[in-house]
Amino acid sequence: MIRFLLRRIVTMAVTLLIISALVFFIIKLPPGDFLTNQIAELRAQGESASVAKAEFLIKQYGLDRPVWQQYLVWLGVMPGPNGFSGLLQGDWGWSFEYDKPVVEVVGDALWLTLLVNFAVVIFIHLIAIPIAIYSATRQYSIGDYFATFIGYIGLATPSFLLALILLYYMNRWFGISIGGLYDAQYAGEPWTWPKIQSLLSHLVVPTVVIGLGGTAAMIRRMRANLLDELGKQYYVTAKAKGLGPTKALLKYPFRMSLNPFIADIGNLLPHLVSGSVLVSLVLSLPTVGPILLNALKSQDQFLAGFILMFVAVLTVVGMLISDLLLAWLDPRIRMGGGR
């Protein structure tokens, strides 16, 4: 286990290094950058003081160097004007659009994004697994047809349309304010129990909207996996030897049918971040999705680069969790491969 973890950690580090290079150079592909464009506008307006500040930031972050040197400075393996200061040293850079450090721009957005993603993952599994088990064990029943119909509706419903409908009725029936993750009166306030209650009440709509499509897809896939496993000989033999139907189902076919979903954890986490940008815009959620979109549009390279690296870290950590859970769940899987 220790050797496996060490090997996976080394692989993760190499993967993140390659991703960081790709992210940085792709962001730098369009001509110009935020500061260059800003300097041109300020000079046209005759604001010399702002131009001097922008030129100072260019020198401070090495933006006047070749691209490969800018990447090494951003990574923190090459000294900049202020010495070694980059991602490896915990310096996430400066957001030129917001005119403050990246850590201040994404501070609350990061953990709120993780909170929303965690709620969505819990929602998907709590709703999809019982429905899929019921549908598979009662194939072609009225309940099975109803679950299938609901699944198709969930896959076909546009998320932004569902978001608007739920916003309207949650405001009309329960008096929950429209948009955001808490009431406007708590913006910028320290976390108190009333603010947490407001957060939990506002979390319902984005959780349902973002998780509905994934729930419908998981129901269909898990139903198909369970039906395939229920027809295999080991399940028939287990029941023939006197094992109860529920125990035989949960101990063998259910565990085997979970493999594809556990393997998808690494893809699910970043997909929830990148795939929920439209919903975040409609619901005015203070998550990293809208911030990333604005950073890419304005060529705010340090802000965009950090958020993309955050998504990359979610991916590789999710893949590690998938490997560990698969090795624990399925005795047929061995971490040694050829052992």
Side-chain angles (χ1 to χ4, degrees), residues 14-291:
V14 174
T15 302
L16 289 175
L17 181 63
I18 296 174
I19 292 175
S20 68
L22 291 175
V23 164
F24 189 85
F25 288 110
I26 289 176
I27 290 176
K28 297 293 291 185
L29 280 179
D33 54 54
F34 184 89
L35 287 180
T36 303
N37 299 334
Q38 187 183 47
I39 288 175
E41 294 179 2
L42 292 174
R43 282 178 175 165
Q45 298 172 4
E47 298 184 13
S48 57
S50 299
V51 170
K53 180 181 178 181
E55 291 176 345
F56 169 76
L57 289 174
I58 288 178
K59 294 180 180 179
Q60 182 179 7
Y61 288 96
L63 300 182
D64 53 346
R65 299 185 180 188
V67 176
W68 66 272
Q69 291 187 10
Q70 295 182 35
Y71 166 70
L72 295 179
V73 172
W74 174 65
L75 200 61
V77 297
M78 174 179 283
N82 298 323
F84 289 94
S85 180
L87 291 180
L88 297 179
Q89 288 77 30
D91 183 3
W92 299 346
W94 186 272
S95 172
F96 304 123
E97 182 179 8
Y98 294 91
D99 196 24
K100 55 185 177 181
V102 170
V103 65
E104 295 183 11
V105 177
V106 301
D108 288 339
L110 279 183
W111 79 265
L112 288 174
T113 300
L114 293 175
L115 176 64
V116 172
N117 289 348
F118 179 75
V120 170
V121 171
I122 296 299
F123 171 81
I124 290 175
H125 288 80
L126 285 181
I127 301 299
I129 290 177
I131 294 177
I133 292 176
Y134 177 87
S135 184
T137 54
R138 294 165 177 80
Q139 190 179 15
Y140 303 132
S141 65
I142 296 178
D144 182 27
Y145 286 125
F146 180 74
T148 301
F149 174 75
I150 295 298
Y152 287 140
I153 293 296
L155 290 172
T157 304
S159 57
F160 70 91
L161 178 61
L162 179 63
L164 293 174
I165 294 174
L166 288 181
L167 278 180
Y168 173 76
Y169 284 105
M170 291 292 284
N171 178 261
R172 182 176 179 181
W173 292 341
F174 303 104
I176 297 177
S177 60
I178 295 178
L181 283 176
Y182 38 75
D183 293 327
Q185 68 192 67
Y186 297 115
E189 296 294 326
W191 286 97
T192 58
W193 177 241
K195 185 174 182 178
I196 295 175
Q197 287 180 313
S198 178
L199 172 65
L200 294 177
S201 64
H202 283 76
L203 199 60
V204 174
V205 173
T207 300
V208 173
V209 172
I210 299 173
L212 183 62
T215 302
M218 187 174 182
I219 290 173
R220 303 303 305 153
R221 290 175 58 195
M222 190 166 189
R223 176 184 179 275
N225 292 342
L226 270 176
L227 288 175
D228 182 56
E229 295 292 333
L230 290 175
K232 292 184 177 179
Q233 290 298 320
Y234 70 85
Y235 177 65
V236 178
T237 303
K239 291 198 301 181
K241 289 186 175 182
L243 196 64
T246 303
K247 188 174 182 179
L249 172 68
L250 297 179
K251 188 174 182 180
Y252 298 111
F254 174 66
R255 290 178 63 185
M256 299 304 104
S257 64
L258 284 178
N259 285 6
F261 303 102
I262 293 178
D264 280 347
I265 290 178
N267 297 323
L268 177 63
L269 295 178
H271 174 73
L272 292 177
V273 176
S274 59
S276 60
V277 175
L278 181 58
V279 175
S280 298
L281 291 173
V282 173
L283 297 178
S284 301
L285 301 181
T287 55
V288 297
I291 297 177

